[in-house]
């Protein structure tokens, strides 16, 4: 019976994570549509300090959609492992890209379409191989995990590295190296996800009728969450202000998800219940999502024309092949032809030898 309940909670968390991606991805489209409508009316843009979007119902619909998505993502951590919930956040980028191509007339090139397919495949692989047994189910067990020496060492390393990046590396390299501020967001973000996980468990116990508000751990986790999120938002905005979004987004996703999965493995020990095949499948799915997000963002503005295709895939390929065959028969071999022989045939060698001897006799 407990095993059945655990499976039900896993699928509840999975559904909440997928729903969160749909709502968050759709929120960007609703907000953008609202801002475009205001721009068409001649209102002052939000980037120039205008606040006309507060009177646009589409913008408020986008804000509501984002709120629902974030709430669903928050709740998903109470039911499913962080190893599953965090990587599935990449699907919101996919949803946003697909909806933008339909409703905002933004062109999704071949690289973006391949990236979307890879993200879906990677997410599917991660869902199949993700851990389905939850190690922490109450605040008491959460307190025991937080006192684990391995997690304490990890948390201290994350905090010390963040302080060094903020006060030492930031003033020197923050304006020229994208990794400085993104690493701060990723390190602090891994601790914030741990706080979210604990608060999700507390809320689940609250609905079960337990006096959670009397537990100091819940309030400590809430304070830590607010502190971590404020730092995370601050330095992510700095990175986005200095560097291109297409560069920051994939790097941030990779580093943040890696930090969260590492923290989850240390704190919740979810990976101890996984066999080798599931571990390899989870890691493979994660890297597939990474590659898909990379294609979707980095090559977003790169045009893909027919000239980049092989000859047999281009339009009018029959004429090209005929001309190519004719030039081959005339002896004008194209250097890129795959069927060009590496060695001359015996007939051609004999013919070449005869020509050389004839030229030698004429010279004599």
């Amino acid at each position: 019976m407990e095993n059945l309940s655990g499976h039900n909670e896993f699928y509840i968390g999975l559904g909440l994570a997928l729903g969160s991606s749909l709502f968050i991805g759709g929120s960007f489209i609703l907000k953008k549509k609202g801002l475009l409508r205001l721009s068409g009316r001649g209102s002052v843009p939000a980037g120039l300090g205008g606040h006309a979007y507060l009177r646009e119902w589409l913008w408020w619909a986008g804000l509501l959609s984002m709120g629902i998505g974030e709430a669903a993502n928050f709740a998903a951590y109470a039911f499913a492992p962080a190893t599953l919930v965090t990587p599935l956040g990449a699907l919101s980028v996919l949803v946003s890209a697909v909806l933008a191509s339909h409703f905002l007339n933004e062109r999704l090139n071949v690289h973006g379409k391949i990236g979307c397919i890879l993200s879906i495949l990677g997410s599917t692989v991660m869902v199949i191989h993700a851990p389905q047994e939850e190690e922490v189910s109450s605040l008491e067990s959460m307190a025991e995990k937080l006192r684990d020496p391995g997690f304490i060492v990890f948390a201290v390393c994350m905090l010390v590295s963040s302080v060094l990046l903020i006060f030492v590396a930031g003033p020197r390299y923050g304006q020229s190296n994208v990794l400085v501020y993104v690493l701060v967001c990723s390190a602090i973000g891994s601790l914030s996800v741990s706080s979210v996980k604990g608060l999700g468990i507390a809320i689940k116990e609250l609905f079960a009728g337990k006096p959670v508000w009397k537990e100091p751990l819940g309030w400590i986790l809430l304070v830590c969450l607010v502190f971590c999120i404020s730092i995370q938002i601050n330095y992510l905005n700095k990175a986005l202000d200095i560097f291109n979004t297409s560069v920051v987004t994939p790097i941030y996703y990779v580093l943040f998800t890696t930090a969260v999965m590492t923290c989850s493995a240390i704190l919740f020990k979810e990976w101890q219940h996984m066999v080798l095949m599931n571990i390899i499948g989870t890691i493979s799915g994660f890297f597939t999502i990474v590659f898909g997000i990379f294609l979707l963002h980095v090559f977003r503005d790169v045009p893909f024309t027919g000239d980049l295709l092989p000859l047999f895939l281009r339009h009018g390929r029959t004429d090209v092949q005929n001309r190519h065959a004719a030039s081959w028969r005339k002896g004008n071999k194209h250097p890129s032809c795959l069927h060009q022989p590496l060695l001359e045939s015996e007939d051609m060698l004999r013919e070449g030898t005869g020509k050389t001897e004839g030229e030698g006799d004429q010279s004599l």
Side-chain angles (χ1 to χ4, degrees):
M1 196 68 183
E2 291 182 0
N3 190 23
L4 182 61
S5 176
H7 277 74
N8 290 337
E9 289 192 354
F10 173 83
Y11 290 117
I12 290 172
L14 174 61
L16 288 170
L18 294 176
S20 169
S21 298
L22 291 175
F23 278 104
I24 292 176
S27 70
F28 294 112
I29 308 303
L30 290 172
K31 286 184 177 181
K32 185 69 174 180
K33 287 287 283 186
L35 294 175
L36 288 175
R37 288 180 61 175
L38 291 173
S39 177
R41 297 173 189 166
S43 302
V44 179
L48 299 179
H51 299 283
Y53 58 86
L54 295 176
R55 297 190 298 271
E56 176 58 50
W57 70 271
L58 272 176
W59 187 88
W60 282 105
L63 184 64
L64 177 63
S65 178
M66 178 167 284
I68 294 173
E70 293 294 346
N73 187 64
F74 182 91
Y77 284 101
F79 297 97
T83 307
L84 173 68
V85 177
T86 304
L88 288 182
L91 294 180
S92 63
V93 180
L94 183 150
V95 171
S96 178
V98 172
L99 293 179
S101 66
H102 288 279
F103 297 103
L104 300 179
N105 296 323
E106 294 183 3
R107 188 164 176 261
L108 188 64
N109 58 13
V110 176
H111 303 92
K113 293 176 182 177
I114 295 174
C116 291
I117 294 173
L118 288 175
S119 298
I120 294 174
L121 292 176
S123 301
T124 304
V125 172
M126 288 205 70
V127 169
I128 294 173
H129 295 282
Q132 298 189 14
E133 294 182 356
E134 188 54 56
E135 184 71 19
V136 181
S137 58
S138 64
L139 280 181
E140 290 79 9
S141 58
M142 183 71 182
E144 294 179 2
K145 295 295 181 183
L146 291 175
R147 290 193 293 265
D148 185 75
F151 174 73
I152 294 175
V153 172
F154 174 81
V156 170
C157 290
M158 292 295 101
L159 292 174
V160 171
S161 61
S162 299
V163 170
L164 292 176
L165 287 169
I166 292 172
F167 295 104
V168 178
R172 296 181 182 179
Y173 310 107
Q175 300 293 323
S176 59
N177 195 328
V178 67
L179 291 177
V180 175
Y181 294 138
V182 174
L183 281 172
V184 174
C185 298
S186 303
I188 298 298
S190 64
L191 301 179
S192 68
V193 168
S194 303
S195 301
V196 168
K197 182 74 172 178
L199 286 174
I201 295 171
I203 293 174
K204 190 164 63 171
E205 287 191 334
L206 181 64
F207 282 110
K210 296 182 180 180
V212 180
W213 61 87
K214 297 181 179 180
E215 295 286 341
L217 179 60
W219 298 104
I220 294 174
L221 291 175
L222 179 60
V223 172
C224 290
L225 177 62
V226 173
F227 175 75
C228 292
I229 288 180
S230 61
I231 295 178
Q232 194 175 354
I233 293 175
N234 180 36
Y235 286 97
L236 182 60
N237 287 334
K238 284 188 176 182
L240 291 172
D241 185 53
I242 299 171
F243 303 100
N244 197 323
T245 306
S246 62
V247 176
V248 174
T249 302
I251 294 176
Y252 174 66
Y253 173 78
V254 173
L255 295 179
F256 173 71
T257 308
T258 303
V260 170
M261 293 174 69
T262 304
C263 180
S264 176
I266 295 173
L267 178 60
F268 303 117
K269 296 179 174 60
E270 296 164 347
W271 295 67
Q272 289 185 355
H273 302 284
M274 299 173 67
V275 297
L276 180 61
M277 183 179 67
N278 288 337
I279 293 175
I280 295 174
T282 302
I283 296 175
S284 300
F286 170 60
F287 280 110
T288 304
I289 297 174
V290 168
F291 189 61
I293 296 297
F294 179 82
L295 285 177
L296 185 60
H297 278 273
V298 176
F299 296 101
R300 180 175 55 189
D301 299 325
V302 176
F304 190 88
T305 61
D307 296 335
L308 299 176
L309 291 172
L311 290 176
F312 64 91
L313 291 178
R314 297 182 189 177
H315 293 290
R317 58 185 181 273
T318 305
D319 296 335
V320 175
Q321 289 175 351
N322 291 336
R323 289 196 300 268
H324 190 68
S327 64
W328 173 266
R329 285 192 295 266
K330 292 178 182 179
N332 300 326
K333 300 181 181 64
H334 196 276
S336 63
C337 182
L338 296 178
H339 300 288
Q340 182 176 357
L342 297 177
L343 297 175
E344 300 289 344
S345 62
E346 294 182 359
D347 295 337
M348 296 179 66
L349 287 174
R350 283 198 295 269
E351 182 181 353
T353 305
K355 287 183 179 180
T356 305
E357 291 178 352
E359 291 175 356
D361 293 339
Q362 290 177 2
S363 62
L364 290 174

